[in-house]
Amino acid sequence: VNYEVSYSTNNFKDAHEITVTITGKNKFKGIVTRTYSINRKAVTVTADSKTKQFGEADSELTATVTGVVDSYEIAYTVTRAEGESNGTYPITVSGEKEQGNYTVSYESGTLTITAKSIEGEDSGLVVEKLADVTYNGQPQKQKPVVKDGEVGLVEGTDYTLGYSEDTTNVGTVTVKVIGQGNYSGTLETTYQITRAAVTVTAD
């Protein structure tokens, strides 16, 4: 009755500034204007953390968006730091800070690469059979060839070796292949120290 209100826009949803005009009527006169803003809503894009075993391919890098109240799709890119060895690597997500009606913040995740177990038939690890040796009075520590598929592994980097107590006298020697670095677990192989042939000749 005494005033009427008008707005500078019919869009009361999207982020922008709106001017309100109040115009007096009847016993009142004059015009008053006021402004207010619909601010962008804060949303967060968080990189999803991933885990894989050494030697496996990466799964798809993904992220989770929280805070969106409509069907608007936030645009972003997910990448990870380079590296394939046992350890952790940051997964980062990036994109524009302001998108549509939203102010976007980005949170990193982590890729964890675990050591590959050398145990079990499915591991792909092969320890080549060691040849037997003949007793010679000295310790005889045979070193096996260890492969992951067709790739030869390196002693001191990928594994260490452990031997049963007696590597000198006739008997069975057990060799333990102990994973380290990018590998974990233990495999065993054996070889024999056989008797030396001697001849006793009557004078």
Side-chain angles (χ1 to χ4, degrees), residues 75-93:
Y76 57 85
T77 302
V78 187
T79 58
R80 79 163 179 93
E82 293 183 356
E84 292 297 335
S85 296
N86 176 24
T88 57
Y89 302 86
I91 300 174
T92 56
V93 59

Side-chain angles (χ1 to χ4, degrees), residues 7 12 24 32 43 64 69 79 105 108 125 132 136 152 157 168 174 184 187 190:
Y7 297 88
F12 301 102
V32 175
V43 300
T64 300
V69 296
T79 58
S105 59
S108 298
L125 268 289
D132 295 339
N136 64 6
T157 299
T168 301
T174 299
S184 64
L187 290 176
T190 60

Side-chain angles (χ1 to χ4, degrees), residues 13-173:
K13 176 182 177 181
D14 296 325
H16 65 301
E17 186 177 84
I18 299 173
T19 300
V20 184
T21 301
I22 303 170
T23 304
K25 294 178 60 178
N26 299 325
K27 295 180 180 180
F28 298 89
K29 64 180 181 179
I31 297 174
V32 175
T33 59
R34 295 288 186 269
T35 61
Y36 68 95
S37 295
I38 299 176
N39 297 322
R40 287 184 170 86
K41 187 178 187 299
V43 300
T44 303
V45 182
T46 303
D48 298 322
S49 292
K50 304 286 183 176
T51 300
K52 73 169 186 173
Q53 183 176 265
F54 171 75
E56 292 180 342
D58 284 7
S59 59
E60 181 184 2
L61 297 177
T62 57
T64 300
V65 180
T66 55
V68 175
V69 296
D70 53 25
S71 59
Y72 188 87
E73 293 187 4
I74 302 296
Y76 57 85
T77 302
V78 187
T79 58
R80 79 163 179 93
E82 293 183 356
E84 292 297 335
S85 296
N86 176 24
T88 57
Y89 302 86
I91 300 174
T92 56
V93 59
S94 59
E96 295 294 332
K97 183 177 180 180
E98 293 182 350
Q99 298 189 40
N101 292 317
Y102 299 96
T103 299
V104 189
S105 59
Y106 300 93
E107 300 290 340
S108 298
T110 302
L111 170 66
T112 302
I113 301 178
T114 60
K116 179 179 181 179
S117 175
I118 66 176
E119 301 174 0
E121 295 181 357
D122 297 333
S123 70
L125 268 289
V126 176
V127 179
E128 294 187 359
K129 177 65 178 175
L130 290 167
D132 295 339
V133 295
T134 302
Y135 172 78
N136 64 6
Q138 302 295 323
Q140 299 188 76
K141 291 185 175 182
Q142 297 281 79
K143 291 182 178 291
V145 174
V146 183
K147 293 183 177 181
D148 183 355
E150 297 299 321
V151 179
L153 302 190
V154 179
E155 182 185 357
T157 299
D158 301 314
Y159 65 91
T160 58
L161 297 176
Y163 292 84
S164 51
E165 185 175 349
D166 190 351
T167 58
T168 301
N169 297 306
V170 171
T172 300
V173 178

Side-chain angles (χ1 to χ4, degrees), residues 159-201:
Y159 65 91
T160 58
L161 297 176
Y163 292 84
S164 51
E165 185 175 349
D166 190 351
T167 58
T168 301
N169 297 306
V170 171
T172 300
V173 178
T174 299
V175 184
K176 288 186 177 181
V177 179
I178 306 163
Q180 70 173 30
N182 291 323
Y183 296 88
S184 64
T186 302
L187 290 176
E188 291 187 355
T189 187
T190 60
Y191 62 95
Q192 300 291 322
I193 298 176
T194 60
R195 288 181 171 84
V198 298
T199 302
V200 179
T201 304

